[in-house]
Amino acid sequence: MSIAENIAQIRARMCAAALAAGRRPEELLLCAASKMNDAERVKEAVAAGVDCCGENRVQELLQKLPLGAYTGRPVHFIGHLQTNKVNKVVGKVDLIQSVDRTELLEAVDRTARRLGLRQAILLEVNIGAEPQKGGFSPAETLELAAHMGDYPGVLLQGLMAIPPISEKRGDNCKYFAKMRNLYIDIADKKYDNVSMVCLSMGMSDDFEDAIAEGSTMVRLGTAIFGARHYGI
Ligand SMILES: *Cc1c(COP(=O)(O)O)cnc(C)c1O
């Protein structure tokens, strides 16, 4: 199947999942997680109507950007971001979804202020409390959101999560539900410098569950582009 055919099927599944949950399909965004796919394939996804693209690695982002891979759509950074590469990303992407530690938040804020801009970000939450994974705990996320006024170089637009690898369908619903509660909690508080518009959760294997639990953006790689081939 072509990328465009995959996307058409995914849209239909997103729409069905939204309706089944009593939600409006128009409020769901599809982010193409385009790691290991070249600029031409990313362009195909853009032409087929994904809402945005997400890159994991700074090097891939900087390769594909000048080739016009994302032209016409916003591009997001969704991978682990090393502090010493922040200056290569801030101002070049529409949203950094993966702000996963205070040191990174401070570096993004500082860099954005130096450049005279405001960088939209999401906070990444380690919702499964997995020791090997980055991200804030829910308590840390709440606390940070309350202090976003201290970081005028950024604008907090929501939360992102990658739940634990699941054994079977439905296993991650409890994590998605926790994320939604946290997201709503923060939105209700109306903190300074916070505008909660994006709850980014759900990947190829579990996006329908994420939509059922309140996701506003799913990030799909395999379902759009097919399996990734590592090591070639
Ligand atoms: C690769 C990746 C995805 C997409 O994963 P698939 O399972 O291929 O859909 C989503 N989010 C992030 C952060 C990723 O790195």
Side-chain angles (χ1 to χ4, degrees):
M1 288 230 295
S2 70
I3 288 172
E5 286 167 332
N6 287 339
I7 290 172
Q9 280 202 354
I10 291 162
R11 287 287 190 192
R13 287 172 60 186
M14 288 172 67
C15 186
L19 294 175
R23 302 184 57 199
R24 296 188 310 126
E26 314 86 79
E27 69 191 29
L28 301 177
L29 298 177
L30 172 58
C31 177
S34 37
K35 58 177 173 269
M36 302 186 64
N37 284 280
D38 63 18
E40 287 312 309
R41 290 173 64 77
V42 177
K43 280 183 196 176
E44 266 185 74
V46 167
V50 296
D51 296 299
C52 58
C53 297
E55 285 295 348
N56 279 75
R57 295 175 59 220
V58 175
Q59 196 190 343
E60 274 192 62
L61 172 75
L62 298 183
Q63 263 167 15
K64 294 177 215 177
L65 205 48
L67 297 173
Y70 320 109
T71 302
R73 286 291 181 274
V75 59
H76 297 176
F77 196 80
I78 62 175
H80 179 72
L81 182 54
Q82 288 171 259
T83 312
N84 64 1
K85 293 193 177 154
V86 162
N87 60 353
K88 297 186 170 150
V89 174
V90 168
K92 295 212 177 65
V93 297
D94 298 277
L95 179 67
I96 301 176
Q97 296 199 14
S98 44
V99 174
D100 60 358
R101 58 200 192 280
T102 308
E103 182 201 22
L104 178 60
L105 173 63
E106 289 170 352
V108 170
D109 174 58
R110 212 168 34 239
T111 305
R113 282 188 284 120
R114 185 160 42 75
L115 294 172
L117 50 85
R118 208 157 166 218
Q119 177 67 61
I121 63 162
L122 307 182
L123 295 178
E124 182 172 343
V125 183
N126 185 354
I127 197 65
E130 296 172 277
Q132 79 282 13
K133 245 184 216 172
F136 299 100
S137 71
E140 288 167 341
T141 306
L142 261 177
E143 175 71 17
L144 254 189
H147 291 97
M148 286 311 293
D150 298 343
Y151 304 95
V154 304
L155 174 63
L156 179 60
Q157 294 199 318
L159 305 177
M160 185 269 248
I162 307 171
I165 292 174
S166 62
E167 298 287 306
K168 58 179 191 305
R169 215 180 134 197
D171 277 0
N172 280 336
C173 287
K174 59 180 182 293
Y175 298 115
F176 293 140
K178 275 192 190 177
M179 284 298 300
R180 175 161 190 273
N181 288 338
L182 182 60
Y183 177 79
I184 289 175
D185 256 14
I186 293 172
D188 283 349
K189 299 236 163 72
K190 309 216 182 310
Y191 291 128
D192 277 359
N193 205 21
V194 176
S195 166
M196 298 299 265
V197 293
C198 184
L199 178 55
S200 173
M201 58 186 194
M203 313 206 302
S204 293
D205 288 335
D206 58 15
F207 69 92
E208 283 142 321
D209 289 339
I211 290 170
E213 301 294 343
S215 168
T216 70
M217 176 181 290
V218 296
R219 306 176 311 269
L220 307 189
T222 313
I224 293 177
F225 297 108
R228 288 180 290 274
H229 299 286
Y230 290 93
I232 50 172

